[in-house]
Amino acid sequence: MPKKEIDLEYKIEHLSILNQDGELDSELEPDISDDLLIRMHRMMLLTRRFDERMLNLQRQGKMGTFAPIKGQEASQIGAVVVLEDEDWMVPSFREMAAEVWRGKEMVDMLLVFAGFNEGSRVPEKSRTLPVCIPVASQLLHAVGIAYAIKYKQEKNVVMVFHGDGATSEGDFHESLNFAGVFQTPCVFVCQNNQWAISIPRSKQTRSKTLAQKALAYGLPGVQVDGNDVLAVYSAAKEAVERARSGKGSTFIECVTYRMSVHTTADDPSVYRDDDEVKQWEARDPISRFQKYLKDKELLSEDDIEKLEEEIKSEIKGVIKDWEDKMKKMGDPADMFEFQYAEMPPHLVSQKEEVEKNKANR
Amino acid sequence: MPKKEIDLEYKIEHLSILNQDGELDSELEPDISDDLLIRMHRMMLLTRRFDERMLNLQRQGKMGTFAPIKGQEASQIGAVVVLEDEDWMVPSFREMAAEVWRGKEMVDMLLVFAGFNEGSRVPEKSRTLPVCIPVASQLLHAVGIAYAIKYKQEKNVVMVFHGDGATSEGDFHESLNFAGVFQTPCVFVCQNNQWAISIPRSKQTRSKTLAQKALAYGLPGVQVDGNDVLAVYSAAKEAVERARSGKGSTFIECVTYRMSVHTTADDPSVYRDDDEVKQWEARDPISRFQKYLKDKELLSEDDIEKLEEEIKSEIKGVIKDWEDKMKKMGDPADMFEFQYAEMPPHLVSQKEEVEKNKANR
Amino acid sequence: MKKMTMVEAINLALKQEMEKDEDVLVLGEDVGMDGGVFRVTKGLLDAYGEDRVIDTPLAESMIAGVSIGMAIHGLKPVCEIQFSGFSYFSFHQMEAHAARYRGRSHGRFSIQMVLRCPYGGGVRALEHHSESREVYYAHTPGLKMVIPSGPRKARALLVSAIRDPDPVIFYEPKAVYRAFREEVPEDEETFPIGQSEVVREGKDLTFITYGAMLKPTIDAAETLKEEDGVEAEVIDLLTISPLDDEKFTESVQKTGRAVIVHEAHRSFGPGAEMIARLVEKSFLYLEAPICRVTGYDVVIPLYQREKDYIPDVKRILKGARETLDF
Amino acid sequence: MKKMTMVEAINLALKQEMEKDEDVLVLGEDVGMDGGVFRVTKGLLDAYGEDRVIDTPLAESMIAGVSIGMAIHGLKPVCEIQFSGFSYFSFHQMEAHAARYRGRSHGRFSIQMVLRCPYGGGVRALEHHSESREVYYAHTPGLKMVIPSGPRKARALLVSAIRDPDPVIFYEPKAVYRAFREEVPEDEETFPIGQSEVVREGKDLTFITYGAMLKPTIDAAETLKEEDGVEAEVIDLLTISPLDDEKFTESVQKTGRAVIVHEAHRSFGPGAEMIARLVEKSFLYLEAPICRVTGYDVVIPLYQREKDYIPDVKRILKGARETLDF
Ligand SMILES: Cc1ncc(C[n+]2csc(CCOP(=O)(O)OP(=O)(O)O)c2C)c(N)n1
Ligand SMILES: Cc1ncc(C[n+]2csc(CCOP(=O)(O)OP(=O)(O)O)c2C)c(N)n1
Ligand SMILES: [Mg+2]
Ligand SMILES: [Mg+2]
């Protein structure tokens, strides 16, 4: 039946700058200082190696469950480097690279995964939230912070990360709607890594792109090649500038891939094809960035080798530090700390109970 | 920056057939039997009068809180008449007209609003759910029923109603996403009556239309003039046919207006302009439908007068019945019924407690 | 002193705290233009503008979650959930985050927020508008749960809650909203969270109650005096969690007998915890079983049978007399 | 009889019920292809296809709400929430609807669904993966709350839960999932919901416990026998709500002393209700205060301190000896 079409003034675009062979669309090349490019590369490599090392430690039984980031370095680093220190970063649970860039101590990460609450401490000046396990629930905190920034007439922004699976949760919807209505300075970075544990993107939602979900909230949405650090950077830069200048939120879908297990408790061979992983290996974000940097003569094979050595010893240092720290931790009575600003009487007496039990052992 | 546009194969259309003066776009006129047209009109008028009467009873203190439907008769009746008896209808709390069409006894409505649980009984054969107070939560039940229908390879569909405010709730999002992924035979009828208590549509969400929210789930969405019963009918018919033939869900936004109070506990003069109400009075769904029926020579002023009399005495009968029924109700021990299929021991003893208390009074 | 209803007293607390501290703001459904469905936030929008008195879209998880974010960035949000029956839409945000950010960040973040909602029966409302489920919150570590019983305490406790560095769930007994007036001082008044109050002294029996149940309990105590010559002590809990067990312990060690009165369901209800604490700390003082006069373990019925669900003076008297006669 | 872990036993229950009744289906996150993150639903997808073993999008309220709808149309969904810590995302659906459709429709609709989730500590997991908050459900009228302690009971109770016309919350102690094997009959076996079991007889003291705490409680009972010559009775609750207070009443009227053991937080926790019932029904039999050996009123710590949070044999023994020495 013929009806009147409503003009939605809307389109969804896909952004790609550095293709999977590291070839550049030079028209779109963002203006990034050499120094920043080199630091981005270093962080991507560092976190790749740290990720591998943690997997190793976990397999040895030295750590509990954690969620590897392998393959998602570009979509995290490309986005997060755009932030100022005074901006807020709100991670989900798979943004180790972005967290480390923001100053999260690697030793603290190891502590958390080894079961010590101390590792999730947030240093006084840091504006990076602790990881958030309940999927999508952190998005509401992000827009709440963004509202507070706007309320205080400050100039900072919030960048919040989440996965493709997270887009199905009610909290995702409620956050983006709030961001739309109140035009909060919050940038949503969706790490569409194709999988939510065993559920592929295609079964998560029937929408063609995740980016188009922004339309429901009157927000701009864009899809980028999430393994292309330059594309992620460009989209994030534009979005952060929009937010900072009072024009509100943007939704960025980074199309990337979870090259490893969901968490160390997961066995993807049960539900996904190795072939798929191989295809994505060819689109690795690091090698393609390295080719770009080499083309720009900012990086040589030698540099890479030296960097790998440097990283190895940095990680070794972190692990040593971690092992030392663990020895000094684990007083059971610590569980009563930080429950309330002031310990209420019933916790004081329960704490005494624990201390008494400890003394009697 | 130049990017590649993604073709979403998507548009949002607005449908209007009978304009506010009752003028017909005859190209779009749906094929509805005379008999059905007359029954639709009768139901719209009956429920308008019943609504007015209930408001009256409430103001006299004979009933508790209820939510008037005035102005939304077309968007309810236009949609619900498309259903077969074996289809399911899932209301929110403001679909009195649609419920009565589906066979809900008016006397039961009065009982509920007068504080008797008995009024929310669902007769054995009925496939109309009881009203659902928590906004948007009923949408999930609707898609669950729709899944069950599909699972059982039956041919029925589900029609679920909700308001504009409901589109902000997480449960709305999760329902539509489920409907998209599993292509369930569920038609969503959004009664966009411009207000959610005191919150206008424009503050509920920044999206230009509510219909476009369907895009986020890969579902077709359409906006119709909700005060135009022919437009609502046409859209609902198409959607129900789609669902019945296995092609999945449709989202219909009916643009209508809450001409009365939110509920009898509400005073809209605090937050909305009388002028706005006046504008919408000119778009009344009943008078425009009457003009159409008169033009078709299906209705005369005389018929209307007779009908009004008939309705008056029908409502009178209902109220008499209600008053009689109330006299026989109110045994406090009834509160223990229907909590579980079998009454567990602690309820048996609590019930005895209540019976003992009653005996002692 | 001006005599105020509870609605007016809470409104005063909000107004004065907003006047004093720019970081305090109010958000929720219909709290702005409409002044709240019970008019508790009336006048705030005009006084403080829409950035500070925020009419939100219809989404409770959002209201709670956004408040958490605001608190992280240093604001002190007072959010309203329109009825406690809809607060479970945001329960995961309160349980997983409001209650935990302090611990999770190892002390860095305070979630200084108040989640206000009307609770309980008594206003002839529809389903989901009359529940009393304070246990869900009271059982959740990291949250505080406060229930005032009258206008003056409501005002003082809300001021304390707003200033409390921890998240406070503030249940307002809607049956009390306009039931009576009390003198409320214009000048600042606070009342410590975590502290109950002996509102009537007695030596024969201890009543422990709170919220809308305080009034019928006091009435029952008066009747006991008149008809039975019994002196009942009445304790108004005010804070449900952390539970102040000192005052009722002391009282029951004096009276030897206790009756607990609440609207909430009996099983796994708030009264059970009070009994457990009394057994733990005052076992040898107990001269009779502790009696629970409570809502039953059924969904609270619509208003025609509500009065049979909610404890009233007769039921309280019956419980008290059985306890006294034991 | 085959020896099975709890995971295998639950899997057997699901398989047999699905085999027997086409209306039974399974839904949740990763329950299909992956067979569930704990492999509880392993093999079901292959056997019954994706219409009956439904991998849902990531949304807990949806999982519960859709199950309610399915039940209304006559199916018997068994839905899985991946960890009990995420079940609060769907709490409003369970509280407002699963628990109430029977009452609301005046008996017309049965919400015959089971909401399964792993709960409790013991698997070195991240935050939100170790909670024990059964009270939220136990306090909610209209719901049933079941917690098995071992493979055989888990299988029998799950079959009963699936056939139960009321909504059942089925908490599976993940610490027990693979902790030990038990003989589980291949042939159908059920166990009545609402019934507890005396798993060890004794005359001196009554332990009341359930779930993962059964094992250390029995160990403590054995130690008491060996070291103290004390005969402790042990009651495995199995159903938390509706609470079977008959068996523990009888037991405590015999022993005069009771110790309650659970992982859940102490305050407003499940133990409080058992104490309240014992006080109500067995006051004159009590020879000592009833002791609660429980999780503390703090967010359960990450795994290094988890063992100090969760009751163990030593703490149970200490509680028992204090009760015996009173
Ligand atoms: C509310 C909630 N439900 C379920 C889980 C269990 N869970 C952890 S991660 C995950 C999948 C998340 O998928 P996605 O959002 O795509 O993020 P990714 O893991 O791919 O980074 C699930 C189901 C959880 N943590 N929180
Ligand atoms: C979950 C929930 N939150 C809040 C309310 C209180 N409330 C009842 S109706 C309503 C507004 C609903 O607006 P809309 O969806 O547009 O429906 P309408 O009332 O206009 O028909 C609100 C906030 C509720 N019933 N349920
Ligand atoms: Mg993912
Ligand atoms: Mg509306």
Side-chain angles (χ1 to χ4, degrees):
Chain A
M1 85 183 78
K3 301 162 197 169
K4 199 175 82 204
E5 184 171 346
I6 298 171
D7 179 13
L8 299 175
E9 297 143 14
Y10 198 77
K11 58 181 179 177
I12 291 291
E13 293 172 318
H14 180 91
L15 180 64
S16 154
I17 299 177
L18 207 55
N19 76 10
Q20 77 179 71
D21 301 319
E23 286 156 8
L24 180 73
D25 181 340
S26 52
E27 244 178 66
L28 296 180
E29 185 180 10
D31 183 20
I32 309 181
S33 74
D34 291 353
D35 173 58
L36 181 54
L37 284 170
I38 287 169
R39 288 196 297 132
M40 286 164 71
H41 170 254
R42 187 185 192 284
M43 188 53 78
M44 286 165 70
L45 204 63
L46 172 67
T47 51
R48 168 74 57 97
R49 298 298 169 240
F50 186 52
D51 200 58
E52 288 166 353
R53 193 60 218 277
M54 285 204 288
L55 197 57
N56 215 266
L57 289 167
Q58 197 280 338
R59 297 308 188 210
Q60 293 167 40
K62 294 190 181 161
M63 280 185 7
T65 312
F66 90 103
I69 63 153
K70 188 176 176 186
Q72 300 182 214
E73 295 85 355
S75 70
Q76 293 180 29
I77 296 299
V80 81
V81 298
V82 169
L83 296 181
E84 314 278 340
D85 283 351
E86 295 72 31
D87 292 329
W88 282 92
M89 196 282 256
V90 179
S92 77
F93 48 81
R94 198 190 299 283
E95 280 82 32
M96 183 267 281
E99 288 182 78
V100 174
W101 177 272
R102 292 279 300 173
K104 175 84 187 172
E105 305 249 7
M106 289 192 282
V107 64
D108 282 344
M109 299 221 158
L110 294 175
L111 284 172
V112 170
F113 296 134
F116 290 100
N117 289 61
E118 285 82 348
S120 69
R121 77 192 171 90
V122 179
E124 203 42 58
K125 284 273 158 69
S126 165
R127 287 192 159 180
T128 303
L129 290 196
V131 299
C132 175
I133 308 288
V135 169
S137 60
Q138 77 279 13
L139 296 171
L140 287 166
H141 315 154
V143 295
I145 294 173
Y147 188 96
I149 288 172
K150 198 173 167 183
Y151 177 78
K152 293 182 171 185
Q153 301 183 311
E154 294 166 350
K155 274 290 157 219
N156 302 312
V157 306
V158 182
M159 180 179 283
V160 58
F161 288 87
H162 64 86
D164 45 313
T167 64
S168 295
E169 286 280 6
D171 281 0
F172 167 85
H173 177 70
E174 299 186 9
S175 306
L176 270 83
N177 195 44
F178 184 91
V181 170
F182 296 102
Q183 293 286 291
T184 53
C186 181
V187 175
F188 297 88
V189 183
C190 173
Q191 306 269 302
N192 173 6
N193 66 2
Q194 311 305 327
W195 291 92
I197 310 188
S198 72
I199 310 299
R201 156 65 186 84
S202 59
K203 283 187 166 181
Q204 196 63 245
T205 179
R206 204 180 164 83
S207 75
K208 188 164 175 176
T209 67
L210 299 180
Q212 79 201 57
K213 288 182 187 281
L215 172 63
Y217 316 102
L219 295 177
V222 60
Q223 189 185 67
V224 306
D225 178 347
N227 284 7
D228 168 0
V229 73
L230 300 186
V232 176
Y233 177 92
S234 298
K237 180 105 186 153
E238 189 174 310
V240 164
E241 276 165 11
R242 262 191 95 238
R244 211 182 293 289
S245 64
K247 299 202 190 88
S249 284
T250 306
F251 182 78
I252 303 172
E253 175 189 359
C254 296
V255 180
T256 179
Y257 196 71
R258 191 195 82 206
M259 286 167 73
S260 182
V261 292
H262 166 70
T263 67
T264 48
D266 172 51
D267 174 11
S269 74
V270 176
Y271 56 79
R272 94 179 164 182
D273 247 345
D274 269 358
D275 278 0
E276 186 184 290
V277 184
K278 283 218 185 77
Q279 275 174 37
W280 280 90
E281 270 164 11
R283 298 177 209 159
D284 190 284
I286 295 183
S287 50
R288 120 166 52 159
F289 190 35
Q290 287 180 338
K291 169 146 191 322
Y292 169 73
L293 294 177
K294 285 180 194 161
D295 289 349
K296 272 182 101 82
E297 296 184 356
L298 286 171
L299 194 73
S300 67
E301 275 303 327
D302 257 18
D303 293 340
I304 295 178
E305 236 167 77
K306 261 174 55 193
L307 191 55
E308 292 275 17
E309 278 310 308
E310 215 181 288
I311 283 171
K312 204 182 250 168
S313 81
E314 179 172 348
I315 292 174
K316 209 168 152 187
V318 168
I319 287 170
K320 171 86 178 58
D321 191 12
W322 171 56
E323 283 166 341
D324 291 347
K325 283 214 162 113
M326 282 199 292
K327 285 179 200 137
K328 293 177 221 132
M329 277 175 184
D331 181 351
D334 284 353
M335 73 171 109
F336 295 95
E337 302 301 321
F338 306 122
Q339 299 294 311
Y340 295 94
E342 239 180 276
M343 200 179 291
H346 69 296
L347 290 190
V348 171
S349 76
Q350 290 180 11
K351 187 177 172 189
E352 280 163 13
E353 193 180 316
V354 167
E355 273 162 351
K356 227 182 287 167
N357 289 350
K358 197 178 57 177
N360 293 342
R361 284 193 179 186
Chain B
M1 81 183 78
K3 303 161 195 168
K4 199 174 83 205
E5 185 171 346
I6 298 171
D7 179 12
L8 299 176
E9 297 144 15
Y10 198 80
K11 59 182 178 176
I12 292 291
E13 292 171 318
H14 180 91
L15 180 63
S16 154
I17 300 177
L18 205 55
N19 76 10
Q20 76 179 71
D21 302 318
E23 286 156 9
L24 180 74
D25 182 340
S26 53
E27 244 178 65
L28 297 179
E29 185 181 11
D31 183 21
I32 310 180
S33 73
D34 291 352
D35 172 60
L36 181 54
L37 283 170
I38 286 169
R39 288 196 297 131
M40 286 164 71
H41 171 254
R42 185 185 193 286
M43 189 53 78
M44 286 165 69
L45 205 62
L46 171 66
T47 52
R48 168 74 56 97
R49 297 297 170 241
F50 187 51
D51 200 59
E52 288 165 353
R53 194 60 218 275
M54 284 204 290
L55 197 58
N56 214 265
L57 289 167
Q58 197 281 337
R59 296 309 187 209
Q60 293 168 38
K62 294 191 181 160
M63 282 186 4
T65 312
F66 90 104
I69 61 152
K70 187 175 177 188
Q72 299 182 214
E73 295 86 355
S75 71
Q76 293 180 29
I77 296 300
V80 81
V81 298
V82 170
L83 297 181
E84 314 278 340
D85 284 351
E86 295 72 33
D87 293 329
W88 282 91
M89 195 282 255
V90 179
S92 76
F93 48 80
R94 199 190 299 284
E95 279 82 35
M96 183 267 280
E99 288 182 77
V100 174
W101 178 270
R102 293 279 299 174
K104 175 84 187 171
E105 305 249 8
M106 291 190 283
V107 65
D108 282 344
M109 299 222 158
L110 294 175
L111 284 172
V112 169
F113 297 134
F116 291 99
N117 290 61
E118 285 83 348
S120 69
R121 77 192 171 89
V122 178
E124 202 43 58
K125 283 272 157 70
S126 165
R127 286 193 160 181
T128 302
L129 290 196
V131 299
C132 175
I133 308 287
V135 168
S137 60
Q138 78 277 14
L139 296 172
L140 287 165
H141 315 155
V143 294
I145 294 173
Y147 188 97
I149 288 171
K150 198 173 168 182
Y151 176 79
K152 294 183 171 185
Q153 302 183 309
E154 295 165 349
K155 274 290 156 220
N156 303 313
V157 305
V158 183
M159 180 178 285
V160 58
F161 288 86
H162 63 86
D164 45 313
T167 65
S168 295
E169 286 280 6
D171 281 0
F172 168 85
H173 177 71
E174 298 186 11
S175 306
L176 271 82
N177 195 44
F178 184 91
V181 169
F182 295 102
Q183 294 286 291
T184 51
C186 182
V187 175
F188 298 88
V189 183
C190 172
Q191 304 270 301
N192 173 7
N193 65 3
Q194 312 304 328
W195 292 91
I197 310 189
S198 72
I199 311 299
R201 156 65 187 84
S202 59
K203 284 187 165 181
Q204 196 63 244
T205 179
R206 204 181 165 83
S207 76
K208 189 165 175 176
T209 67
L210 299 180
Q212 78 201 56
K213 289 182 185 280
L215 171 63
Y217 316 102
L219 294 178
V222 60
Q223 189 185 67
V224 307
D225 179 346
N227 285 7
D228 169 359
V229 73
L230 300 185
V232 175
Y233 177 92
S234 298
K237 182 106 188 153
E238 189 175 309
V240 163
E241 275 166 12
R242 262 192 93 239
R244 211 182 293 290
S245 65
K247 299 202 191 88
S249 284
T250 306
F251 181 79
I252 302 172
E253 175 190 359
C254 296
V255 180
T256 179
Y257 196 71
R258 190 195 83 206
M259 285 167 73
S260 182
V261 292
H262 166 71
T263 67
T264 47
D266 173 50
D267 173 12
S269 75
V270 177
Y271 55 78
R272 94 178 164 181
D273 246 343
D274 269 357
D275 276 1
E276 187 184 288
V277 183
K278 286 222 183 75
Q279 274 173 37
W280 280 90
E281 270 164 11
R283 299 178 209 158
D284 190 284
I286 296 183
S287 51
R288 115 168 56 160
F289 189 37
Q290 288 180 337
K291 168 147 193 323
Y292 169 74
L293 294 176
K294 285 180 195 162
D295 289 349
K296 272 182 103 77
E297 296 183 356
L298 287 170
L299 194 73
S300 67
E301 275 303 327
D302 257 20
D303 293 340
I304 295 177
E305 236 167 76
K306 261 175 54 196
L307 191 55
E308 292 275 17
E309 278 310 308
E310 212 183 291
I311 284 171
K312 205 182 249 168
S313 81
E314 179 171 349
I315 292 173
K316 208 168 152 188
V318 167
I319 288 170
K320 171 86 180 51
D321 192 12
W322 170 56
E323 284 167 341
D324 291 347
K325 282 213 162 114
M326 283 199 292
K327 285 179 200 137
K328 294 177 220 133
M329 278 177 183
D331 181 354
D334 283 354
M335 72 172 112
F336 296 95
E337 303 302 320
F338 306 122
Q339 300 294 311
Y340 295 94
E342 239 180 275
M343 201 179 291
H346 69 295
L347 290 190
V348 171
S349 75
Q350 290 180 12
K351 187 177 172 190
E352 282 164 11
E353 194 180 316
V354 167
E355 275 162 349
K356 226 181 289 167
N357 289 349
K358 196 178 57 175
N360 293 340
R361 289 194 173 184
Chain C
M1 276 196 279
K2 215 182 135 187
K3 288 199 132 197
M4 292 187 188
T5 62
M6 187 184 272
V7 164
E8 290 161 350
I10 295 173
N11 184 269
L12 177 69
L14 291 170
K15 221 174 260 165
Q16 289 187 333
E17 285 305 288
M18 291 184 80
E19 198 55 45
K20 186 166 290 168
D21 184 348
E22 276 218 340
D23 291 338
V24 177
L25 42 67
V26 159
L27 66 155
E29 294 155 14
D30 308 291
V31 298
M33 198 70 138
D34 195 35
V37 294
F38 287 103
R39 302 292 178 267
V40 171
T41 54
K42 194 176 153 181
L44 298 181
L45 177 71
D46 282 346
Y48 302 108
E50 62 177 19
D51 291 349
R52 245 182 120 182
V53 181
I54 311 166
D55 269 327
T56 65
L58 211 177
E60 289 74 17
S61 179
M62 181 267 276
I63 292 169
V66 156
S67 296
I68 292 167
M70 288 172 169
I72 287 172
H73 198 59
L75 300 183
K76 295 161 190 162
V78 182
C79 68
E80 174 178 306
I81 302 292
Q82 209 158 70
F83 288 89
S84 68
F86 309 128
S87 72
Y88 319 124
F89 281 68
S90 52
F91 191 65
H92 61 284
Q93 282 289 344
M94 298 311 292
E95 181 278 322
H97 297 302
R100 295 174 183 235
Y101 258 115
R102 180 185 302 286
R104 188 183 297 143
S105 66
H106 230 60
R108 164 70 190 284
F109 299 120
S110 285
I111 306 301
Q112 183 160 356
M113 69 179 276
V114 179
L115 186 140
R116 292 180 40 242
C117 44
Y119 89 101
V123 299
R124 308 202 337 158
L126 297 165
E127 203 195 340
H128 306 285
H129 289 69
S130 311
E131 282 72 14
S132 189
R133 300 273 173 88
E134 51 274 22
V135 161
Y136 297 154
Y137 295 104
H139 183 58
T140 306
L143 300 180
K144 295 180 176 178
M145 166 32 66
V146 170
I147 305 188
S149 49
R152 183 163 180 172
K153 278 286 153 38
R155 189 282 195 102
L157 279 164
L158 182 55
V159 171
S160 296
I162 292 172
R163 298 182 188 175
D164 194 291
D166 289 307
V168 179
I169 313 295
F170 197 84
Y171 260 31
E172 299 165 5
K174 65 175 94 65
V176 179
Y177 264 161
R178 298 174 192 281
F180 58 91
R181 291 174 180 273
E182 253 177 19
E183 292 196 334
V184 177
E186 176 69 20
D187 282 354
E188 165 168 329
E189 188 174 51
T190 61
F191 191 88
I193 288 174
Q195 200 169 300
S196 61
E197 199 181 43
V198 178
V199 294
R200 186 184 193 284
E201 295 199 13
K203 57 178 184 21
D204 303 321
L205 173 77
T206 303
F207 281 116
I208 310 172
T209 190
Y210 54 92
M213 292 297 98
L214 181 63
K215 183 91 179 42
T217 303
I218 289 177
D219 291 348
E222 294 299 329
T223 307
L224 282 177
K225 182 184 168 136
E226 282 161 35
E227 298 183 3
D228 307 54
V230 163
E231 284 298 348
E233 188 142 304
V234 178
I235 291 177
D236 183 4
L237 276 182
L238 299 168
T239 295
I240 311 305
S241 173
L243 184 63
D244 175 11
D245 56 21
E246 251 179 62
K247 284 224 185 52
F248 68 69
T249 296
E250 200 178 306
S251 175
V252 175
Q253 291 189 356
K254 175 175 69 179
T255 64
R257 294 168 202 270
V259 174
I260 297 162
V261 185
H262 60 62
E263 275 183 70
H265 309 298
R266 185 174 302 167
S267 289
F268 302 92
E273 179 61 24
M274 296 160 216
I275 295 177
R277 301 248 184 135
L278 284 170
V279 167
E280 279 161 6
K281 298 196 183 174
S282 313
F283 185 69
L284 294 176
Y285 296 87
L286 292 175
E287 286 166 32
I290 300 152
C291 172
R292 293 188 282 183
V293 182
T294 68
Y296 299 106
D297 291 326
V298 301
V299 173
I300 182 169
L302 295 183
Y303 72 81
Q304 295 284 356
R305 288 188 194 94
E306 207 182 58
K307 58 184 182 312
D308 301 297
Y309 170 94
I310 298 176
D312 59 9
V313 176
K314 284 209 175 152
R315 278 173 63 197
I316 299 169
L317 278 174
K318 180 164 168 281
R321 285 173 177 149
E322 280 171 16
T323 305
L324 288 161
D325 293 347
F326 184 83
Chain D
M1 276 196 278
K2 216 181 134 189
K3 289 199 132 197
M4 293 187 188
T5 62
M6 187 184 273
V7 164
E8 291 161 351
I10 295 174
N11 184 268
L12 177 68
L14 290 171
K15 221 174 259 164
Q16 289 186 333
E17 285 304 288
M18 290 183 80
E19 198 56 45
K20 185 166 291 171
D21 184 348
E22 277 217 339
D23 290 337
V24 177
L25 42 66
V26 159
L27 66 155
E29 294 156 14
D30 308 290
V31 298
M33 197 70 139
D34 195 35
V37 294
F38 287 102
R39 301 292 176 268
V40 171
T41 54
K42 194 176 152 181
L44 298 181
L45 178 72
D46 282 347
Y48 301 107
E50 60 177 20
D51 290 347
R52 243 182 121 184
V53 181
I54 310 165
D55 269 327
T56 65
L58 210 177
E60 288 75 18
S61 178
M62 182 266 277
I63 292 169
V66 156
S67 297
I68 292 166
M70 289 172 167
I72 288 173
H73 198 60
L75 300 184
K76 295 161 190 162
V78 182
C79 68
E80 175 178 304
I81 302 292
Q82 209 158 68
F83 288 89
S84 68
F86 308 129
S87 71
Y88 318 125
F89 281 68
S90 51
F91 191 65
H92 61 285
Q93 282 289 345
M94 300 310 292
E95 181 277 323
H97 297 302
R100 294 174 184 236
Y101 258 114
R102 180 185 303 286
R104 189 182 297 144
S105 66
H106 230 59
R108 163 70 190 281
F109 299 120
S110 285
I111 306 301
Q112 184 160 355
M113 67 177 277
V114 180
L115 185 140
R116 292 182 39 241
C117 44
Y119 89 101
V123 300
R124 306 201 340 157
L126 297 164
E127 203 194 340
H128 306 284
H129 288 69
S130 309
E131 282 73 14
S132 189
R133 300 273 174 89
E134 51 274 23
V135 161
Y136 298 154
Y137 296 104
H139 183 57
T140 306
L143 301 180
K144 296 180 177 179
M145 171 22 73
V146 170
I147 305 187
S149 49
R152 184 162 180 173
K153 278 285 153 37
R155 188 284 195 102
L157 279 164
L158 183 56
V159 171
S160 296
I162 293 171
R163 298 181 190 177
D164 194 291
D166 288 307
V168 179
I169 313 293
F170 198 84
Y171 261 30
E172 300 166 4
K174 64 175 93 65
V176 179
Y177 264 161
R178 298 173 192 284
F180 58 91
R181 291 175 179 274
E182 253 177 20
E183 293 195 334
V184 178
E186 176 68 21
D187 282 353
E188 165 167 330
E189 188 174 51
T190 61
F191 191 88
I193 287 173
Q195 199 168 301
S196 62
E197 199 181 43
V198 178
V199 294
R200 186 183 195 283
E201 295 198 12
K203 58 180 182 26
D204 303 322
L205 173 76
T206 303
F207 282 116
I208 310 172
T209 189
Y210 54 92
M213 292 298 96
L214 180 63
K215 183 92 178 44
T217 303
I218 289 176
D219 290 349
E222 293 300 329
T223 307
L224 281 177
K225 180 185 169 136
E226 281 161 36
E227 296 184 4
D228 307 52
V230 163
E231 283 298 348
E233 188 141 304
V234 178
I235 291 178
D236 183 4
L237 277 182
L238 299 168
T239 295
I240 311 304
S241 172
L243 185 63
D244 175 9
D245 56 20
E246 251 179 60
K247 285 224 184 52
F248 68 69
T249 296
E250 200 180 306
S251 175
V252 175
Q253 292 190 355
K254 174 175 70 181
T255 64
R257 294 169 202 269
V259 173
I260 297 162
V261 186
H262 59 63
E263 275 183 70
H265 310 298
R266 186 173 302 166
S267 289
F268 303 92
E273 180 61 24
M274 297 159 215
I275 295 177
R277 301 249 183 132
L278 285 169
V279 168
E280 281 160 5
K281 298 196 182 173
S282 313
F283 184 68
L284 294 176
Y285 297 86
L286 291 176
E287 286 166 31
I290 299 152
C291 172
R292 292 188 283 183
V293 182
T294 68
Y296 299 106
D297 291 326
V298 300
V299 172
I300 182 169
L302 295 183
Y303 71 81
Q304 295 283 357
R305 287 190 193 91
E306 206 182 59
K307 58 183 181 312
D308 299 298
Y309 170 94
I310 298 175
D312 58 10
V313 176
K314 284 209 175 152
R315 277 174 63 197
I316 299 169
L317 280 173
K318 182 164 167 282
R321 285 172 179 151
E322 281 171 14
T323 305
L324 289 161
D325 293 349
F326 184 82

